[in-house]
Amino acid sequence: MANTSNNEMMFGRRTKFTRGMKIGIAIFLLFLAALITIIVFPITETTPTWVEPLQTNVYGFTARIAPYVLVGLLGATVAVAELVSTFQTYPREALRTRWAWILIGVNVVAAIIALVVVRVTMTEMNTSLQILSVGVGFQAIIRTRFVLAKRIGSDGEEGEVALNLGWLYDQFQNLARTQIDLELMNNRRTAVTRLLDYYPTMAELYDIAWYTITSRATLTREQEEQRKADLEKLLDPKAPENFAKSSMALAILENGGQAYVELLLTQAMQGLSPEAMAAIKPTSGDQLIWQLVNQYSLDELVELTKKLCQSEKVVDYVVQAAKPDPAVNTANQKATIAHFMVQQIGLEPLQKALAEQKRE
């Protein structure tokens, strides 16, 4: 009960922050739409006299702030690119954190301040060049270490005279990255805990984790095999059960992402009781796959496919997938076939077949 309460509290905080972000973005878009509407509003003989002065003032205001907005957008784009490349597994979740917005905000403010300095000191420079020099050049400068002199024959940084303009930004960036990672760790722990609550057995977690890895379209063959090998190690009887189950749940999250986990835990998010979830679980595709793996052998899965499916292509695929392969775990073969059967045959015919087997 305590875990459920903590999970609900953390989910509520994340929901409030996300709602606040959406409201802020909506207000900004409405403000932008109002400015554009005023600027492009046609002036005719029937237009009220106060509209034209307002349009002139708004147009002048927009022209003055446009360079700062463009520079700020360039700074924000660079910050977002850094965050996405750093947190490739959780880019959306990383961008939702407070420290991500602090990092983006610092980049925007720093770029605007740099443009102010440039416009004050270089008044004759073309406005477009000012925007490009700050939007691109400034972002590069604050991340660069300039070596002014280097002793001949020296290796590394020893004997260098350098101007490290990026040191301060590096310190702040490392702080932001650490805080974002810590916040994501809370989210990861929450997701893992909820997975363990909903899928308490190691067999269920292993089956889902293996299928998740197999379903990834961007993994190379080597990466897929390595992740499967790491998953297999968790089945070692010597490994503590709680550690193995937590690691499998984390593997599901790492390979499937937060949205995939939320999909698996839709029933739990709706606040269903354990009894209700237990009643619903047998109808889910993942639970049905596990039942097929647990109750049927490879040959029996082939016979069941022939019985329920008329497609020769489907039957041929299952027959080929069921052939003995020393390099592949039997449970993995059955999981692959079971998932394929759920996709091609459907939940209802397979559930009826399982029910008939129980009656027999």
Side-chain angles (χ1 to χ4, degrees):
M1 293 294 292
N3 285 340
T4 302
S5 178
N6 292 336
N7 293 343
E8 290 176 352
M9 288 177 62
M10 294 187 68
F11 180 75
R13 292 173 184 171
R14 186 174 61 187
T15 302
K16 288 180 180 178
F17 182 65
T18 303
R19 189 183 300 119
M21 287 170 51
K22 291 180 179 179
I23 292 173
I25 293 173
I27 293 174
F28 173 76
L29 292 176
L30 287 174
F31 175 73
L32 187 62
L35 287 180
I36 295 173
T37 301
I38 294 173
I39 292 173
V40 302
F41 190 83
I43 303 297
T44 63
E45 295 180 356
T46 59
T47 303
T49 55
W50 58 267
V51 174
E52 186 173 358
L54 175 63
Q55 188 180 63
T56 302
N57 292 332
V58 170
Y59 181 80
F61 171 74
T62 305
R64 286 194 296 272
I65 69 169
Y68 302 99
V69 173
L70 291 174
V71 165
L73 287 175
L74 287 172
T77 301
V78 173
V80 169
E82 289 179 341
L83 288 169
V84 170
S85 62
T86 302
F87 300 96
Q88 296 182 10
T89 307
Y90 313 98
R92 185 177 61 179
E93 288 74 22
L95 290 174
R96 288 178 177 175
T97 60
R98 290 181 176 85
W99 273 93
W101 285 94
I102 292 174
L103 180 63
I104 294 171
V106 167
N107 274 269
V108 171
V109 172
I112 292 175
I113 293 174
L115 180 60
V116 171
V117 173
V118 169
R119 301 197 79 176
V120 170
T121 58
M122 303 179 183
T123 56
E124 297 181 358
M125 181 183 290
N126 182 274
T127 302
S128 299
L129 289 177
Q130 290 176 342
I131 295 173
L132 288 175
S133 62
V134 173
V136 179
F138 175 73
Q139 299 298 331
I141 289 174
I142 65 172
R143 293 165 173 81
T144 303
R145 177 176 178 273
F146 296 95
V147 178
L148 304 178
K150 184 175 182 179
R151 189 173 62 195
I152 298 175
S154 62
D155 295 327
E157 298 182 3
E158 184 180 355
E160 290 183 350
V161 178
L163 178 62
N164 192 356
L165 298 178
W167 180 84
L168 182 61
Y169 181 77
D170 285 342
Q171 304 311 306
F172 175 74
Q173 190 183 50
N174 290 335
L175 172 64
R177 183 171 61 243
T178 301
Q179 295 301 318
I180 293 171
D181 193 34
L182 291 175
E183 190 169 341
L184 289 178
M185 184 170 290
N186 292 335
N187 297 337
R188 288 194 292 266
R189 183 58 193 174
T190 301
V192 168
T193 301
R194 294 171 65 208
L195 276 171
L196 292 175
D197 289 339
Y198 191 63
Y199 298 98
T201 66
M202 189 180 300
E204 289 175 305
L205 292 168
Y206 173 84
D207 179 50
I208 297 173
W210 187 89
Y211 165 67
T212 304
I213 295 172
T214 304
S215 300
R216 285 285 300 272
T218 57
L219 294 179
T220 64
R221 183 67 177 176
E222 292 74 17
Q223 290 174 326
E224 181 179 328
E225 293 301 327
Q226 180 60 49
R227 297 188 186 192
K228 287 181 180 178
D230 294 338
L231 190 63
E232 292 285 348
K233 293 177 183 177
L234 297 174
L235 296 177
D236 188 348
K238 297 180 181 179
E241 183 177 356
N242 289 336
F243 169 77
K245 291 197 294 186
S246 297
S247 299
M248 288 181 184
L250 183 60
I252 295 171
L253 178 61
E254 293 285 345
N255 288 285
Q258 188 71 38
Y260 177 70
V261 171
E262 295 296 339
L263 179 63
L264 292 175
L265 300 173
T266 301
Q267 293 88 346
M269 289 177 63
Q270 293 173 345
L272 298 179
S273 65
E275 293 78 14
M277 286 189 291
I280 292 175
K281 280 175 61 180
T283 65
S284 68
D286 290 328
Q287 182 67 13
L288 180 60
I289 290 172
W290 170 244
Q291 290 176 341
L292 291 171
V293 171
N294 190 46
Q295 299 179 20
Y296 287 83
S297 66
L298 287 172
D299 292 336
E300 288 172 340
L301 288 175
V302 172
E303 293 303 320
L304 182 62
T305 303
K306 293 179 179 179
K307 177 181 177 181
L308 299 178
C309 184
Q310 304 298 323
S311 173
E312 294 184 2
K313 291 183 178 180
V314 173
V315 174
D316 290 342
Y317 174 86
V318 173
V319 170
Q320 294 297 323
K323 289 183 177 180
D325 187 350
V328 180
N329 186 284
T330 302
N332 293 350
Q333 285 183 277
K334 291 198 289 184
T336 301
I337 294 172
H339 175 69
F340 183 76
M341 292 171 66
V342 169
Q343 285 186 324
Q344 300 297 325
I345 298 175
L347 291 174
E348 187 174 349
L350 291 170
Q351 288 171 344
K352 289 182 179 179
L354 285 170
E356 290 175 0
Q357 186 190 42
K358 288 181 180 180
R359 287 195 294 268
E360 292 175 359

